[in-house]
Amino acid sequence: MSNNAYLYEYTVGLQRIECIAESDEDCVIYRAVEWSPDGTMLAASTDDSTLRIYDVNTQVTQYASGEHGMSPLAAYTTIAHAGTLLGFAWYPHMNRDPAANCFIESVRDHPLHLCDTQTGKVRASYSAYDAYDTLMSATAVAFSPDGTSIYAGYATHIGRFDVHREGPPVELTQTTPSRRSRDGLKGIVSCLATNNTHIASATLSGQLALHTPDTQIACVWRVPVEYGGTGVTHLRWAPNNIHVWAASRQSEFIVAWDIRDLRAPCAVVRRPGRTMQRMQFAFDASGRHLAVGQMDGRIEFHDLNALDCDQSNALVQDDPNSVQAHGDLVAGVSSHPYYPLLATASGQRRFCDPNPAPNCLRVWSVPAQYYCA
């Protein structure tokens, strides 16, 4: 099934949601999870600075053929790192062809590495240096939609690398003229999200910016204080490529802006998130439903058709559909690009709990309907 012809949207009733795959590695703490662009693999980062690749092609094929049932998930490739794993991103044209089966990752005090999914070996390295000739660690990384460029966010810079040329960036733009200056984008770049026309970035100071493809800053704005503008930890474009959504640490809300009018948020979703941990959210293929992880292990599905995006500070429904997916905080949420399958991952550090809930990665079959795009 091609997503160029059909899109799916989750249906309102979630009584038939079913777990079709689950990992058995309950000793790890998951931080993030992402489906591969071809929908056959999952990449999950864990608190021990390890990236685990799961081959779920069998489960996806069984779901597409109408076979239902529970199956275990085992890591296909495990890549351990000497430093902290700061971020990763799939190659946009990734598929089962070995030449395109790769991803980019960022590790503290290391260059960016383009890695082979099957072996974990480094195919290419990309490095940026500051004015003192010191290697900079990328705190956020993303591919351009066409796969020809890699964007990296640093403490005071945003760089663009040519995928086909190892070494220094093609462009390296300073986010602010100086540390004392009030101009530009202030703070460490924590998130990057790309679409066909813009690059969206966010910082741990609570600011967001839109950039041109050559990394130049087009505009800068801030998360309102009433929505917890203490540092953005997750950033994602809606499927319509007009709304950009952001979640902040120690915040009770996920906030959206229409890039045609950035004077105020166009939508606000309530999500209790009084934690410093990153918590992901995801859209279904149609962009109608927003899947949000909760601290109590639930997944909430917000119907965005309840929004009136012409009015500022519109709130999504107060009583969204939800399902108990895990026994602890849901840090990772990712929607399959073609089928109504949702990957979720749980885990957080607990120092005073003698019996913590087991952590796991799960794949859910969500009731949905298809329509022609």
Side-chain angles (χ1 to χ4, degrees), residues 176-198:
T176 183
S178 66
R179 293 183 64 182
R180 294 186 177 182
S181 174
R182 295 186 177 183
D183 299 328
L185 183 66
K186 306 295 290 185
I188 298 173
V189 178
S190 58
C191 309
L192 289 174
T194 61
N195 66 9
N196 292 325
T197 57
H198 293 90

Side-chain angles (χ1 to χ4, degrees), residues 22-367:
E22 179 179 354
S23 67
D24 55 1
E25 299 167 308
D26 60 354
C27 59
V28 301
I29 299 174
Y30 290 93
R31 297 173 59 188
V33 63
E34 291 290 345
W35 283 99
S36 62
D38 70 342
T40 63
M41 289 188 177
L42 282 168
S45 62
T46 55
D47 199 50
D48 57 357
S49 294
T50 300
L51 187 66
R52 290 170 166 81
I53 308 296
Y54 297 87
D55 190 342
V56 291
N57 186 43
T58 300
Q59 289 84 351
V60 173
T61 302
Q62 289 176 348
Y63 171 82
S65 61
E67 300 178 24
H68 296 278
M70 183 73 165
S71 59
L73 280 178
Y76 174 72
T77 305
T78 301
I79 307 170
H81 304 90
T84 303
L85 178 62
L86 299 175
F88 66 93
W90 287 103
Y91 178 59
H93 304 299
M94 179 269 176
N95 54 52
R96 309 296 287 191
D97 181 1
N101 205 341
C102 59
F103 61 91
I104 193 77
E105 66 175 11
S106 172
V107 179
R108 189 178 301 279
D109 298 327
H110 287 73
L112 293 174
H113 288 155
L114 185 69
C115 298
D116 187 284
T117 303
Q118 296 181 343
T119 64
K121 293 183 178 180
V122 177
R123 293 186 180 181
S125 296
Y126 310 89
S127 52
Y129 296 85
D130 61 16
Y132 302 98
D133 203 26
T134 301
L135 177 68
M136 296 190 293
S137 299
T139 50
V141 63
F143 276 99
S144 62
D146 60 6
T148 60
S149 298
I150 300 169
Y151 293 96
Y154 301 94
T156 57
H157 294 78
I158 288 183
R160 183 178 74 86
F161 298 87
D162 187 339
V163 173
H164 303 96
R165 193 186 79 177
E166 291 190 71
V170 178
E171 278 107 9
L172 188 63
T173 302
Q174 227 176 332
T175 54
T176 183
S178 66
R179 293 183 64 182
R180 294 186 177 182
S181 174
R182 295 186 177 183
D183 299 328
L185 183 66
K186 306 295 290 185
I188 298 173
V189 178
S190 58
C191 309
L192 289 174
T194 61
N195 66 9
N196 292 325
T197 57
H198 293 90
I199 299 99
S201 66
T203 70
L204 293 177
S205 297
Q207 288 189 326
L208 299 95
L210 289 179
H211 304 259
T212 57
D214 60 355
T215 71
Q216 298 300 312
I217 296 178
C219 58
V220 178
W221 73 99
R222 174 178 287 277
V223 179
V225 177
E226 60 267 28
Y227 297 132
T230 58
V232 179
T233 55
H234 189 54
L235 191 69
R236 194 182 291 272
W237 286 98
N240 60 13
N241 287 325
I242 296 175
H243 300 145
V244 58
W245 291 73
S248 303
R249 59 189 180 186
Q250 294 290 341
S251 173
E252 300 282 337
F253 303 95
I254 300 175
V255 189
W257 291 267
D258 189 322
I259 62 173
R260 298 167 297 186
D261 184 3
L262 295 171
R263 290 175 295 179
C266 68
V268 177
V269 172
R270 184 177 295 277
R271 194 273 302 275
R274 290 294 179 181
T275 176
M276 300 295 287
Q277 188 169 341
R278 294 175 183 256
M279 296 177 66
Q280 293 180 302
F281 55 85
F283 297 92
D284 61 9
S286 69
R288 175 176 176 177
H289 289 89
L290 179 68
V292 178
Q294 300 289 334
M295 295 188 66
D296 60 2
R298 291 181 300 113
I299 299 292
E300 287 188 349
F301 296 85
H302 294 267
D303 186 354
L304 300 185
N305 278 3
L307 282 167
D308 184 1
C309 292
D310 293 332
Q311 298 179 2
S312 298
N313 304 337
L315 243 81
V316 182
Q317 74 248 47
D318 294 327
D319 188 22
N321 293 288
S322 65
V323 61
Q324 191 68 39
H326 295 272
D328 206 345
L329 181 146
V330 180
V333 179
S334 182
S335 294
H336 193 277
Y338 307 135
Y339 297 110
L341 300 174
L342 188 71
T344 61
S346 67
Q348 65 176 324
R349 288 195 176 275
R350 292 184 178 272
F351 299 98
C352 302
D353 189 353
N355 298 305
N359 303 318
C360 61
L361 170 68
R362 289 173 175 167
V363 178
W364 302 87
S365 166
V366 184

